[in-house]
């Protein structure tokens, strides 16, 4: 099954800026704690196969700022996501991804070479967010949580998961993000 893969994204505990409506002359102000020690990292795969609905697979990681805790995804996390989706789809995968450091690790390259019978990988150019459909998915997620003033990291994680689930069950959104890249998906 053809796949397009994007770099993981991070949502910090400090909320992203978003626009809202307010009375003229009275700017709405939302006070939040700006500790910033925690964050939610997301990794995802936009999946396309001719004649079938597009799909979104994702994983996310919560970093709470504790000593020795990984801050984001490691190459093993990406490997596990790929293997999980290969098992779920039961077919070959063509993976197009960016130059994230975890994607370029020697261990990840060895994994790709060891599974060349069902996994084909193409690297995007150094900086090409316009060619990466996952960037559109991340923009949709950030838009849905733009005005959220989360009380804690768990609330932020729930909001991110809810947003990803909503996108997952709306294949037209995934199709739109894939189409926005302008890449040819003809097999």
């Amino acid at each position: 099954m053809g796949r397009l893969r994007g770099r993981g994204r991070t949502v910090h505990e400090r909320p992203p800026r978003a626009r809202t409506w307010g009375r003229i002359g009275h700017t709405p102000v939302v006070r939040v704690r700006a500790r910033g020690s925690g964050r939610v990292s997301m990794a995802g795969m936009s999946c396309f196969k001719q004649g079938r609905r597009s799909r979104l697979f994702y994983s996310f990681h919560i970093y709470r700022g504790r000593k020795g805790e990984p801050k984001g995804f490691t190459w093993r996390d990406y490997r596990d996501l790929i293997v999980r989706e290969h098992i779920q789809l039961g077919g070959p995968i063509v993976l197009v991804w960016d130059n994230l450091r975890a994607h370029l690790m020697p261990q990840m390259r060895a994994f790709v070479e060891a599974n060349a019978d069902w996994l084909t990988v193409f690297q995007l150019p150094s900086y090409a967010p316009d060619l990466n459909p996952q960037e559109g998915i991340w923009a949709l997620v950030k838009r849905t949580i733009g005005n959220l003033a989360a009380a804690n990291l768990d609330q932020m994680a729930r909001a991110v998961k809810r947003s990803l689930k909503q996108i997952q069950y709306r294949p037209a959104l995934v199709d739109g993000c894939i189409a926005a890249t302008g890449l040819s998906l003809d097999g």
Side-chain angles (χ1 to χ4, degrees):
M1 179 170 254
R3 290 205 175 212
L4 298 171
R5 170 152 170 84
R7 179 180 186 170
R9 285 289 176 225
T10 302
V11 179
H12 295 277
E13 199 169 353
R14 187 176 299 165
R17 287 189 181 187
R19 293 180 184 249
T20 187
W21 294 97
R23 292 190 344 233
I24 294 176
H26 297 280
T27 303
V29 176
V30 178
R31 302 208 185 282
V32 295
R33 283 181 272 163
R35 289 187 318 206
S37 63
R39 62 185 181 194
V40 179
S41 298
M42 305 173 285
M45 300 174 121
S46 299
C47 178
F48 170 82
K49 184 175 184 178
Q50 196 70 34
R52 304 188 88 187
R53 71 179 183 92
S54 296
R55 298 177 66 181
L56 170 68
F57 299 103
Y58 66 89
S59 181
F60 67 93
H61 173 79
I62 301 172
Y63 171 68
R64 299 186 184 281
R66 297 181 182 131
K67 276 190 173 179
E69 181 183 21
K71 288 186 178 180
F73 286 93
T74 65
W75 73 271
R76 288 182 187 91
D77 296 322
Y78 289 109
R79 177 201 61 197
D80 294 345
L81 180 62
I82 294 167
V83 169
R84 221 175 24 244
E85 302 324 323
H86 171 64
I87 291 168
Q88 186 171 354
L89 295 171
I93 296 174
V94 176
L95 197 56
V96 180
W97 62 15
D98 55 13
N99 294 307
L100 182 67
R101 200 176 107 213
H103 297 167
L104 303 174
M105 299 283 292
Q107 300 93 328
M108 182 58 86
R109 289 180 191 245
F111 168 74
V112 169
E113 290 171 11
N115 295 291
D117 55 324
W118 60 268
L119 181 61
T120 305
V121 175
F122 295 100
Q123 294 290 137
L124 285 171
S126 291
Y127 184 74
D130 52 326
L131 298 177
N132 191 341
Q134 282 306 122
E135 296 297 332
I137 300 290
W138 305 144
L140 289 171
V141 170
K142 287 186 176 185
R143 187 180 311 153
T144 61
I145 63 169
N147 285 327
L148 173 69
N152 56 37
L153 196 57
D154 292 327
Q155 186 180 5
M156 177 66 74
R158 281 192 304 274
V160 167
K161 187 173 184 176
R162 185 180 324 113
S163 179
L164 287 167
K165 277 266 189 231
Q166 288 172 347
I167 295 169
Q168 193 175 37
Y169 289 111
R170 295 178 65 194
L173 289 176
V174 179
D175 286 339
C177 292
I178 293 172
T181 64
L183 296 174
S184 174
L185 301 173
D186 297 329

